Amino acid sequence: IHPQSQLNMMERKVWAPLLRCARVGGGDALLKVVHIQPCQKSTIIRCLGSFQHQQLLQPKLINAKSRCGFSSSSNDKATRSPEETLEYFANLDHTRSRRTGFPEAVFGAGKTPEQIAKILDDMAGKVNLAAKEEDFDNSVISRAILATRIDEELYKQVAAIPQSNGKITYYQTAKIISMTANHFLSNDTTITSPLNGSRRFVVACAGTTDLPVAEEAAVTLEVAGCEVDRIYDVGVAGLHRIINALPRLQHDDVVCVIVCAGMDGALPSVVGGLVKVPVIAVPTSIGYGAAFSGVSPLLTMLNSCAPGVGVVNIDNGFGAAALAFKCGMNALKS
């Protein structure tokens, strides 16, 4: 913010994260737009007016307004192409699965239904185009399109928006939308998955209230073409339950175990002392006051005395699934 601009404290707080000042001098400020939130447009317009009043952005004002998406025309949105609309709020990483082994997913929390719908449709469109190429990798992971943290109300709003490149499926407990590109709806194609059949993953959780996080992990793996064995409600308060599940946990085909737990977060340590494969611990935000919304089980898991236990962020079932998938792919190489 130029020191001469007449902005109140609220405008400064909103404006500062949005614009980065590249050069200030000679009564001029060259600014680059970084990010725009639609709900902040009125404040941004006032800020632009303040700059204009100080004659700091005279040559740049019109261009800045245009880059921010402001227009005096009420038909501005209607005249944008789909590509321009998408670039207005998203820069998708379509090559992530080829580069890192696991595709990009849409984190739905905080996004509008329109944004989610447009992103998913664009991702499906790119899969449709890629599938026509001769060198297309016909594995499940190359076609996986996911949006996480989608509650039922948000799903209904997304589903009401027409999609031209694919069809969506909703997993209520996992709060996940999966999208299948049109190419794979209309063509009898052979799906290949290097992990399905020869390898399996176990997703375990301590209590029923941990199910949303456990299902986020399980559904993510299944959409990626993996076989998942669910072992639910086996917390340490009834230790016999996890002991009864030992044959499934210690099966030779299991390459990784994901364990979700809140409260005291002790279950991953127990499992880590019983299996020879990597254990991915997922703390959940379940518990009474001193659980601190998942911080208590997180610290327990980080302090696990069982070797071979890794920990992801609180409630991050998707991240656990991505890590487990990579563990499984590396296991195939050995």
Side-chain angles (χ1 to χ4, degrees):
I1 302 299
H2 195 283
Q4 295 180 4
S5 59
Q6 301 299 312
L7 306 179
N8 61 40
M9 289 303 295
M10 181 59 69
E11 288 173 332
R12 286 176 180 271
K13 287 180 179 179
V14 173
W15 193 249
L18 303 178
L19 299 178
R20 181 183 298 117
C21 192
R23 177 173 58 84
V24 177
D28 183 38
L30 181 61
L31 301 172
K32 178 182 179 183
V33 175
V34 176
H35 183 60
I36 300 296
Q37 292 288 351
C39 62
Q40 297 169 334
K41 283 187 176 181
S42 60
T43 302
I44 296 169
I45 291 173
R46 288 199 305 273
C47 292
L48 284 171
S50 298
F51 275 102
Q52 186 182 33
H53 178 71
Q54 293 297 321
Q55 297 183 340
L56 298 175
L57 279 180
Q58 288 284 0
K60 308 288 191 296
L61 183 58
I62 295 176
N63 288 336
K65 283 186 176 181
S66 175
R67 290 200 305 272
C68 291
F70 306 129
S71 173
S72 57
S73 170
S74 59
N75 296 322
D76 182 60
K77 281 188 177 180
T79 58
R80 282 200 203 112
S81 69
E83 293 79 11
E84 288 173 330
T85 302
L86 187 67
E87 289 174 0
Y88 178 62
F89 57 80
N91 184 15
L92 302 185
D93 188 357
H94 293 291
T95 62
R96 185 176 299 182
S97 62
R98 188 163 63 247
R99 189 178 69 251
T100 70
F102 206 79
E104 181 179 22
V106 182
F107 185 78
K111 291 184 176 66
T112 67
E114 291 78 14
Q115 289 172 341
I116 295 169
K118 289 181 183 298
I119 292 171
L120 290 174
D121 203 45
D122 185 78
M123 293 171 78
K126 293 298 188 297
V127 171
N128 286 330
L129 289 174
K132 297 176 182 179
E133 302 294 330
E134 292 183 1
D135 60 346
F136 177 66
D137 176 14
N138 198 37
S139 64
V140 178
I141 199 64
S142 298
R143 64 181 74 179
I145 303 171
L146 288 176
T148 64
R149 300 303 169 91
I150 308 290
D151 61 35
E152 192 167 4
E153 181 60 31
L154 182 55
Y155 160 68
K156 290 177 181 178
Q157 293 174 336
V158 173
I161 300 172
Q163 302 284 320
S164 59
N165 293 313
K167 180 181 179 181
I168 64 175
T169 302
Y170 184 57
Y171 301 86
Q172 185 176 17
T173 304
K175 298 181 180 179
I176 281 178
I177 287 178
S178 170
M179 188 167 196
T180 303
N182 286 337
H183 178 85
F184 302 105
L185 291 172
S186 57
N187 289 275
D188 184 17
T189 55
T190 301
I191 300 174
T192 61
S193 177
L195 291 172
N196 197 5
S198 61
R199 297 289 188 272
R200 78 172 72 166
F201 298 82
V202 171
V203 177
C205 72
T208 305
T209 48
D210 300 313
L211 277 178
V213 178
E215 277 297 293
E216 182 177 277
V219 169
T220 299
L221 285 169
E222 287 177 334
V223 171
C226 302
E227 181 181 347
V228 178
D229 185 8
R230 292 165 169 82
I231 303 176
Y232 290 167
D233 197 20
V234 289
V236 298
L239 202 55
H240 60 284
R241 297 177 297 183
I242 195 66
I243 298 301
N244 290 339
L246 275 179
R248 295 159 66 186
L249 288 166
Q250 297 176 338
H251 195 282
D252 289 341
D253 289 347
V254 174
V255 292
C256 189
V257 179
I258 295 173
V259 183
C260 307
M263 298 285 190
D264 52 12
L267 185 60
S269 290
V270 173
V271 175
L274 296 171
V275 301
K276 57 185 177 182
V277 297
V279 173
I280 301 174
V282 188
T284 67
S285 53
I286 301 300
Y288 296 105
F292 297 113
S293 300
V295 174
S296 180
L298 170 64
L299 295 177
T300 297
M301 295 171 187
L302 288 172
N303 283 284
S304 173
C305 61
V309 176
V311 187
V312 297
N313 206 349
I314 298 168
D315 292 337
N316 189 9
F318 172 81
L323 179 56
F325 183 87
K326 292 187 177 185
C327 289
M329 291 300 292
N330 282 329
L332 286 178
K333 299 176 183 178
S334 59

